[in-house]
Amino acid sequence: MPSRSALQRRDFLKLSATTVAALTPRLSALAPAAPVHIVAPPADPVASAAPTLWAIRRLQQALKEKGIDARQSASLEEAKGASFIVFVSAAGATPTGFMRPATTATHPESVRVASSKIQSAPATWVSSPGALGLVYGLTDLADRVTAGTDPLAALNLSSAIDETPANEVRSAARAFCSEVEDKPWYYNKDFWTGYLDHLVSSRFNRFNLAFGFGYDFPKGVTDDYF
Protein backbone atom coordinates (compact mmCIF):
# COMPACT_ATOMS: atom_id res chain seq x y z
CA MET A 1 0.00 0.00 0.00
CA PRO A 2 1.48 3.42 -0.86
CA SER A 3 2.33 5.81 1.99
CA ARG A 4 1.30 9.46 1.65
CA SER A 5 3.19 10.79 4.67
CA ALA A 6 6.39 10.32 6.57
CA LEU A 7 4.50 8.35 9.23
CA GLN A 8 5.31 4.65 8.86
CA ARG A 9 2.50 2.07 8.82
CA ARG A 10 3.55 0.38 12.06
CA ASP A 11 3.95 3.75 13.85
CA PHE A 12 0.47 4.67 12.68
CA LEU A 13 -0.89 1.38 14.04
CA LYS A 14 0.68 2.07 17.42
CA LEU A 15 -0.89 5.53 17.55
CA SER A 16 -4.25 4.16 16.39
CA ALA A 17 -4.22 1.35 18.94
CA THR A 18 -3.47 3.81 21.75
CA THR A 19 -6.27 6.13 20.62
CA VAL A 20 -8.81 3.33 20.27
CA ALA A 21 -7.92 1.98 23.70
CA ALA A 22 -8.52 5.44 25.18
CA LEU A 23 -11.84 6.08 23.44
CA THR A 24 -13.37 2.59 23.34
CA PRO A 25 -14.94 0.93 26.42
CA ARG A 26 -12.57 -1.66 27.82
CA LEU A 27 -14.15 -4.70 26.25
CA SER A 28 -11.80 -7.13 27.96
CA ALA A 29 -13.20 -6.03 31.33
CA LEU A 30 -16.72 -7.12 30.30
CA ALA A 31 -15.91 -10.83 29.97
CA PRO A 32 -12.28 -11.43 30.97
CA ALA A 33 -12.75 -15.18 31.50
CA ALA A 34 -14.35 -15.91 28.12
CA PRO A 35 -12.09 -16.75 25.15
CA VAL A 36 -11.79 -14.97 21.85
CA HIS A 37 -12.97 -17.17 18.96
CA ILE A 38 -11.54 -16.83 15.47
CA VAL A 39 -14.12 -18.47 13.22
CA ALA A 40 -12.96 -19.81 9.84
CA PRO A 41 -15.54 -22.14 8.24
CA PRO A 42 -13.82 -25.19 6.69
CA ALA A 43 -16.29 -25.15 3.79
CA ASP A 44 -15.04 -21.70 2.78
CA PRO A 45 -12.04 -22.35 0.47
CA VAL A 46 -10.56 -18.89 1.10
CA ALA A 47 -10.99 -18.94 4.88
CA SER A 48 -9.57 -22.46 5.13
CA ALA A 49 -6.60 -21.93 2.79
CA ALA A 50 -3.12 -22.58 4.20
CA PRO A 51 -2.02 -18.87 4.12
CA THR A 52 -5.18 -17.86 5.98
CA LEU A 53 -4.65 -20.51 8.66
CA TRP A 54 -1.07 -19.27 9.09
CA ALA A 55 -2.35 -15.72 9.66
CA ILE A 56 -4.97 -16.98 12.14
CA ARG A 57 -2.18 -18.56 14.16
CA ARG A 58 -0.34 -15.23 14.11
CA LEU A 59 -3.40 -13.48 15.54
CA GLN A 60 -3.85 -16.21 18.13
CA GLN A 61 -0.23 -15.83 19.22
CA ALA A 62 -0.55 -12.05 19.50
CA LEU A 63 -3.62 -12.45 21.72
CA LYS A 64 -2.03 -15.16 23.85
CA GLU A 65 1.00 -12.95 24.44
CA LYS A 66 -1.46 -10.43 25.92
CA GLY A 67 -2.94 -13.07 28.22
CA ILE A 68 -6.07 -13.71 26.13
CA ASP A 69 -7.35 -17.23 25.47
CA ALA A 70 -7.74 -17.31 21.67
CA ARG A 71 -9.30 -20.30 19.93
CA GLN A 72 -9.91 -21.19 16.30
CA SER A 73 -13.45 -22.40 15.62
CA ALA A 74 -15.13 -23.94 12.60
CA SER A 75 -18.55 -22.32 13.13
CA LEU A 76 -20.38 -19.59 15.00
CA GLU A 77 -22.10 -22.33 16.98
CA GLU A 78 -18.73 -23.21 18.50
CA ALA A 79 -18.13 -19.55 19.35
CA LYS A 80 -21.13 -19.13 21.65
CA GLY A 81 -20.18 -17.37 24.87
CA ALA A 82 -17.08 -15.77 23.35
CA SER A 83 -15.84 -12.45 24.71
CA PHE A 84 -15.04 -11.45 21.11
CA ILE A 85 -15.49 -13.07 17.69
CA VAL A 86 -13.27 -12.61 14.65
CA PHE A 87 -15.13 -14.01 11.65
CA VAL A 88 -13.02 -14.85 8.59
CA SER A 89 -14.59 -15.43 5.19
CA ALA A 90 -14.42 -14.97 1.46
CA ALA A 91 -15.87 -11.70 0.17
CA GLY A 92 -19.65 -11.87 -0.10
CA ALA A 93 -20.23 -14.33 2.74
CA THR A 94 -21.71 -11.71 5.07
CA PRO A 95 -22.25 -12.98 8.64
CA THR A 96 -25.47 -12.19 10.52
CA GLY A 97 -25.14 -8.87 12.32
CA PHE A 98 -23.09 -7.17 9.61
CA MET A 99 -24.26 -4.99 6.75
CA ARG A 100 -23.44 -6.25 3.28
CA PRO A 101 -20.98 -3.82 1.65
CA ALA A 102 -22.25 -1.72 -1.22
CA THR A 103 -19.79 -3.37 -3.61
CA THR A 104 -18.01 -6.71 -3.45
CA ALA A 105 -14.25 -6.55 -3.99
CA THR A 106 -12.83 -8.79 -6.71
CA HIS A 107 -9.06 -8.25 -6.39
CA PRO A 108 -7.57 -11.29 -4.58
CA GLU A 109 -5.50 -9.03 -2.33
CA SER A 110 -8.31 -6.65 -1.40
CA VAL A 111 -9.43 -6.80 2.21
CA ARG A 112 -12.38 -5.52 4.24
CA VAL A 113 -12.26 -5.34 8.03
CA ALA A 114 -15.37 -4.16 9.90
CA SER A 115 -16.71 -4.41 13.44
CA SER A 116 -20.23 -5.02 14.72
CA LYS A 117 -21.84 -7.75 16.86
CA ILE A 118 -22.53 -11.45 16.37
CA GLN A 119 -24.65 -13.38 18.88
CA SER A 120 -24.58 -10.29 21.15
CA ALA A 121 -20.78 -10.48 21.30
CA PRO A 122 -18.54 -7.76 19.86
CA ALA A 123 -17.15 -9.01 16.57
CA THR A 124 -14.88 -8.11 13.70
CA TRP A 125 -15.35 -9.52 10.22
CA VAL A 126 -12.33 -9.97 7.95
CA SER A 127 -13.20 -10.74 4.33
CA SER A 128 -11.41 -10.94 0.99
CA PRO A 129 -11.77 -12.62 -2.41
CA GLY A 130 -8.38 -14.29 -1.85
CA ALA A 131 -6.26 -15.82 0.88
CA LEU A 132 -3.60 -13.09 0.66
CA GLY A 133 -6.22 -10.44 1.38
CA LEU A 134 -7.26 -12.36 4.50
CA VAL A 135 -3.60 -12.65 5.51
CA TYR A 136 -3.22 -8.87 5.30
CA GLY A 137 -6.37 -8.26 7.34
CA LEU A 138 -5.53 -10.79 10.05
CA THR A 139 -1.90 -9.72 10.43
CA ASP A 140 -3.12 -6.11 10.63
CA LEU A 141 -5.30 -7.12 13.59
CA ALA A 142 -2.34 -8.97 15.12
CA ASP A 143 -0.23 -5.80 14.84
CA ARG A 144 -2.99 -3.77 16.53
CA VAL A 145 -3.18 -6.26 19.39
CA THR A 146 0.59 -6.26 19.84
CA ALA A 147 0.82 -2.46 19.80
CA GLY A 148 -2.26 -1.78 21.94
CA THR A 149 -2.77 -1.80 25.69
CA ASP A 150 -6.22 -3.45 25.56
CA PRO A 151 -6.27 -6.44 23.19
CA LEU A 152 -10.04 -6.61 22.73
CA ALA A 153 -10.38 -2.87 22.21
CA ALA A 154 -7.64 -3.15 19.57
CA LEU A 155 -9.76 -5.70 17.67
CA ASN A 156 -12.83 -3.46 17.68
CA LEU A 157 -12.66 -0.93 14.82
CA SER A 158 -14.52 2.38 14.97
CA SER A 159 -14.97 2.37 11.18
CA ALA A 160 -14.64 -0.21 8.42
CA ILE A 161 -11.43 -0.59 6.43
CA ASP A 162 -11.59 -1.30 2.70
CA GLU A 163 -8.23 -1.62 1.00
CA THR A 164 -7.01 -2.66 -2.44
CA PRO A 165 -3.31 -2.61 -3.45
CA ALA A 166 -2.29 0.36 -5.57
CA ASN A 167 0.72 -1.61 -6.86
CA GLU A 168 0.32 -5.14 -8.16
CA VAL A 169 3.93 -6.07 -7.37
CA ARG A 170 5.48 -5.09 -4.04
CA SER A 171 8.91 -6.67 -3.90
CA ALA A 172 11.91 -6.78 -1.59
CA ALA A 173 15.38 -8.06 -2.48
CA ARG A 174 18.19 -9.36 -0.31
CA ALA A 175 21.68 -10.09 -1.60
CA PHE A 176 24.32 -12.55 -0.43
CA CYS A 177 27.56 -10.73 -1.21
CA SER A 178 30.07 -11.63 1.49
CA GLU A 179 30.82 -14.97 3.10
CA VAL A 180 32.03 -13.16 6.21
CA GLU A 181 29.03 -10.84 6.58
CA ASP A 182 26.21 -12.91 5.11
CA LYS A 183 26.73 -16.54 6.08
CA PRO A 184 25.42 -16.03 9.66
CA TRP A 185 21.96 -14.85 8.55
CA TYR A 186 21.86 -17.07 5.46
CA TYR A 187 22.08 -20.26 7.54
CA ASN A 188 19.91 -18.99 10.42
CA LYS A 189 16.43 -20.58 10.20
CA ASP A 190 15.05 -18.34 12.95
CA PHE A 191 16.17 -15.28 11.00
CA TRP A 192 14.34 -16.44 7.86
CA THR A 193 11.15 -17.20 9.76
CA GLY A 194 11.03 -13.75 11.34
CA TYR A 195 12.20 -11.95 8.20
CA LEU A 196 9.71 -13.54 5.81
CA ASP A 197 6.88 -13.22 8.34
CA HIS A 198 7.69 -9.51 8.58
CA LEU A 199 7.62 -9.11 4.79
CA VAL A 200 4.23 -10.80 4.56
CA SER A 201 2.67 -8.74 7.36
CA SER A 202 4.10 -5.62 5.68
CA ARG A 203 2.23 -6.70 2.50
CA PHE A 204 5.14 -7.50 0.24
CA ASN A 205 4.04 -10.12 -2.28
CA ARG A 206 7.39 -10.85 -3.94
CA PHE A 207 10.87 -11.68 -2.66
CA ASN A 208 14.14 -11.92 -4.56
CA LEU A 209 17.22 -13.60 -3.08
CA ALA A 210 20.27 -12.59 -5.09
CA PHE A 211 23.63 -14.30 -4.85
CA GLY A 212 26.01 -11.43 -5.44
CA PHE A 213 25.54 -8.48 -7.75
CA GLY A 214 25.47 -8.62 -11.53
CA TYR A 215 28.36 -7.03 -13.37
CA ASP A 216 29.50 -7.09 -16.98
CA PHE A 217 33.05 -8.49 -17.19
CA PRO A 218 34.02 -7.79 -13.55
CA LYS A 219 37.67 -7.10 -12.80
CA GLY A 220 38.85 -6.76 -9.24
CA VAL A 221 35.28 -7.25 -7.94
CA THR A 222 34.87 -9.55 -4.94
CA ASP A 223 31.08 -9.57 -4.49
CA ASP A 224 30.01 -11.25 -7.75
CA TYR A 225 29.54 -14.75 -6.27
CA PHE A 226 27.84 -17.49 -8.32
Side-chain angles (χ1 to χ4, degrees):
M1 306 295 170
S3 173
R4 296 188 179 184
S5 73
L7 187 65
Q8 297 299 310
R9 175 175 174 272
R10 290 183 179 274
D11 294 333
F12 174 76
L13 285 174
K14 290 179 181 179
L15 291 172
S16 300
T18 302
T19 303
V20 169
L23 299 179
T24 305
R26 297 186 66 82
L27 297 174
S28 58
L30 300 179
V36 169
H37 280 261
I38 305 170
V39 180
D44 184 328
V46 179
S48 60
T52 305
L53 298 180
W54 170 86
I56 288 174
R57 291 192 294 272
R58 291 270 294 184
L59 178 55
Q60 282 182 286
Q61 184 61 34
L63 287 164
K64 288 177 179 178
E65 288 175 358
K66 293 287 186 174
I68 302 294
D69 182 9
R71 306 176 185 178
Q72 183 181 341
S73 300
S75 67
L76 290 173
E77 183 70 21
E78 294 182 14
K80 284 186 176 179
S83 62
F84 201 101
I85 296 173
V86 177
F87 189 81
V88 184
S89 77
T94 309
T96 302
F98 283 82
M99 293 183 61
R100 183 182 295 274
T103 58
T104 300
T106 57
H107 193 287
E109 293 185 60
S110 294
V111 61
R112 177 177 174 81
V113 185
S115 295
S116 183
K117 284 191 174 183
I118 298 176
Q119 301 173 165
S120 299
T124 292
W125 172 35
V126 184
S127 64
S128 173
L132 271 182
L134 292 183
V135 167
Y136 299 151
L138 289 165
T139 54
D140 184 278
L141 290 180
D143 284 345
R144 291 171 183 269
V145 169
T146 298
T149 55
D150 186 330
L152 300 193
L155 292 175
N156 197 48
L157 306 187
S158 58
S159 59
I161 296 173
D162 284 287
E163 295 181 337
T164 297
N167 299 313
E168 289 292 326
V169 176
R170 302 175 302 282
S171 182
R174 191 175 186 91
F176 184 109
C177 297
S178 166
E179 290 189 0
V180 174
E181 298 292 337
D182 298 330
K183 267 190 174 181
W185 60 259
Y186 182 74
Y187 287 107
N188 188 329
K189 292 182 179 180
D190 290 336
F191 160 78
W192 282 110
T193 298
Y195 180 67
L196 295 176
D197 284 359
H198 177 70
L199 289 184
V200 171
S201 62
S202 298
R203 306 193 183 188
F204 285 92
N205 61 3
R206 298 288 190 279
F207 174 68
N208 174 38
L209 176 61
F211 291 98
F213 294 146
Y215 295 97
D216 291 330
F217 308 107
K219 292 183 179 179
V221 175
T222 59
D223 57 357
D224 59 340
Y225 296 129
F226 309 114

